[in-house]
């Protein structure tokens, strides 16, 4: 039997062996109670290791895989959803943190465009940035205003809707085999469902047809108005573009950042 290793995980032809985690075993037991079985079947447990079934992935187009991932994720959130008490300071802390980030990025990009516009001859990357700067400016202004509206709605709420979040969602951690599987659950936590959605969007979801993926998600679990608003705020905050010496890399980074921004504008327009 051939063996290979990935991140200290031993992978044989038909099984995966990982260091035992009582926390994960408790999670799997809980998922069983809510009849959610989209995780690799446990074959054996001992004091040190847990052995699970190795899932052979079928060839799948990236777009179709994104749809199946969203179905599997929405079912996880739906089956583990509950309401819990929320402290009075939680929403205020989120608001202050996001507002501070928005104001920092606004100043950062205002200084960047001012410096670029004062150049006698723009480099290709700076020209690309200058031509699309209005998208950054508009996204940040929208995020700030929407954040204020969101906070007015949630400021005095005493309950919040939470669920199990996989917290490491990616196409790499989703396998379409005999059924759909999420793998690599080590970072799971309990929080708002938009956490998984936002992290997946930020990592690679923006490259897909995310408005359509959200529709698929909402067929199983509809986001509340305040969840939609906070998600829209999060995806509207652009990444920070850090300039480096390599002009080709600079141009690529700026192009990719604007792909993210324009994708977010499209998602927001359909997610209100």
């Amino acid at each position: 039997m051939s063996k290979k290793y990935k991140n200290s995980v031993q992978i044989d032809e038909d099984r995966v062996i990982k260091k035992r985690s009582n926390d994960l075993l408790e999670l799997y037991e809980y998922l069983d109670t809510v009849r959610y079985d989209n995780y690799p079947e446990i074959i054996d447990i001992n004091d040190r290791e847990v052995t699970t079934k190795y899932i052979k992935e079928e060839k799948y187009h990236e777009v179709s895989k994104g749809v199946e991932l969203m179905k599997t994720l929405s079912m996880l959130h739906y089956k583990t959803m509950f309401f819990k008490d929320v402290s009075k300071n939680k929403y205020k802390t989120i608001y202050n943190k996001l507002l501070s980030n928005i104001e920092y990025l606004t100043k950062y990009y205002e200084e960047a465009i001012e410096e670029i516009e004062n150049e006698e001859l723009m480099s290709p990357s700076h020209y690309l940035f200058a031509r699309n700067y209005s998208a950054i400016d508009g996204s940040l202004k929208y995020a700030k205003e929407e954040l204020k509206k969101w906070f007015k709605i949630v400021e005095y709420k005493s309950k919040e809707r939470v669920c199990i979040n996989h917290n490491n969602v990616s196409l790499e951690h989703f396998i379409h085999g005999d059924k759909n599987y999420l793998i690599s659950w080590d970072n799971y936590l309990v929080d708002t469902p938009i956490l998984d959605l936002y992290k997946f969007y930020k990592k690679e979801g923006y490259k897909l047809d995310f408005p359509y993926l959200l529709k698929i998600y909402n067929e199983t679990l509809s986001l509340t108005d305040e969840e939609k608003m906070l998600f829209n705020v999060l995806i509207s905050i652009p990444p920070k573009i850090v300039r480096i010496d390599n002009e080709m890399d600079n141009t690529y980074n700026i192009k990719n950042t604007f792909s993210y921004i324009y994708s977010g504008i499209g998602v927001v327009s359909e997610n209100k």
Side-chain angles (χ1 to χ4, degrees):
M1 184 179 292
S2 63
K3 297 181 180 180
K4 56 183 178 179
Y5 293 85
K6 184 175 181 181
N7 298 328
S8 75
V9 176
Q10 179 181 318
I11 303 175
D12 293 341
E13 290 180 351
D14 62 350
R15 60 188 60 198
V16 176
I17 303 172
K18 299 177 66 174
K19 183 179 178 181
R20 175 171 175 147
S21 166
N22 290 333
D23 195 34
L24 276 181
L25 290 175
E26 289 179 5
L27 169 67
Y28 296 154
E29 288 180 5
Y30 171 68
L31 293 179
D32 285 341
T33 65
V34 296
R35 298 187 178 183
Y36 184 86
D37 61 355
N38 299 95
Y39 63 90
E41 176 187 352
I42 297 176
I43 299 172
D44 185 54
I45 304 172
N46 60 40
D47 291 339
R48 294 181 301 171
E49 298 173 330
V50 175
T51 302
T52 59
K53 178 182 176 182
Y54 177 75
I55 311 301
K56 293 182 180 179
E57 183 169 20
E58 297 179 6
K59 289 186 177 180
Y60 224 55
H61 191 278
E62 190 176 70
V63 174
S64 299
K65 190 173 183 180
V67 170
E68 292 301 315
L69 185 158
M70 200 59 64
K71 291 178 181 178
T72 307
L73 183 66
S74 61
M75 189 58 67
L76 168 68
H77 292 172
Y78 174 76
K79 288 191 172 185
T80 62
M81 183 72 66
F82 66 98
F83 288 85
K84 63 177 255 187
D85 294 334
V86 58
S87 69
K88 294 181 179 179
N89 293 327
K90 179 174 181 178
Y91 291 129
K92 183 66 173 179
T93 300
I94 293 172
Y95 172 78
N96 287 336
K97 183 177 180 180
L98 291 177
L99 182 61
S100 177
N101 190 31
I102 291 168
E103 290 177 342
Y104 166 76
L105 287 171
T106 299
K107 183 179 179 181
Y108 176 82
Y109 281 119
E110 284 176 350
E111 291 175 352
I113 190 63
E114 183 178 355
E115 180 181 332
I116 288 172
E117 288 179 340
N118 286 331
E119 294 176 349
E120 291 186 11
L121 182 63
M122 292 184 188
S123 64
S125 64
H126 284 183
Y127 179 72
L128 179 63
F129 178 89
R131 283 201 62 180
N132 292 277
Y133 171 73
S134 61
I136 288 180
D137 185 54
S139 293
L140 285 167
K141 287 178 179 176
Y142 167 81
K144 187 173 184 177
E145 290 305 310
E146 192 72 359
L147 179 63
K148 292 178 180 178
K149 293 176 184 177
W150 168 81
F151 185 61
K152 286 182 179 180
I153 293 174
V154 302
E155 185 176 5
Y156 299 108
K157 281 186 174 288
S158 60
K159 297 282 186 179
E160 65 174 334
R161 196 167 76 150
V162 297
C163 61
I164 296 292
N165 277 255
H166 180 275
N167 201 31
N168 202 8
V169 178
S170 67
L171 295 177
E172 180 184 6
H173 294 149
F174 175 79
I175 299 176
H176 180 73
D178 56 323
K179 62 180 180 182
N180 292 335
Y181 295 89
L182 284 168
I183 61 172
S184 299
W185 290 80
D186 304 78
N187 297 320
Y188 88 93
L189 50 75
V190 175
D191 209 321
T192 170
I194 66 170
L195 181 65
D196 267 342
L197 292 172
Y198 168 60
K199 288 190 174 182
F200 175 59
Y201 175 84
K202 187 176 181 180
K203 184 171 185 178
E204 57 194 342
Y206 72 94
K207 300 175 185 177
L208 306 175
D209 185 354
F210 210 81
Y212 179 67
L213 295 184
L214 274 181
K215 288 179 181 178
I216 296 297
Y217 180 93
N218 278 285
E219 288 176 0
T220 301
L221 179 66
S222 294
L223 295 177
T224 65
D225 288 342
E226 55 263 37
E227 287 167 350
K228 287 182 181 180
M229 292 175 75
L230 184 57
F231 179 76
N232 287 346
V233 169
L234 290 171
I235 67 171
S236 296
I237 300 175
K240 179 181 176 180
I241 300 174
V242 179
R243 286 174 285 179
I244 54 180
D245 292 335
N246 188 297
E247 176 60 18
M248 184 176 293
D249 288 343
N250 268 332
T251 303
Y252 173 80
N253 289 339
I254 291 172
K255 182 179 179 181
N256 189 59
T257 298
F258 280 111
S259 293
Y260 180 94
I261 292 169
Y262 285 121
S263 174
I265 292 171
V267 173
V268 166
S269 67
E270 297 191 37
N271 189 44
K272 294 181 178 179

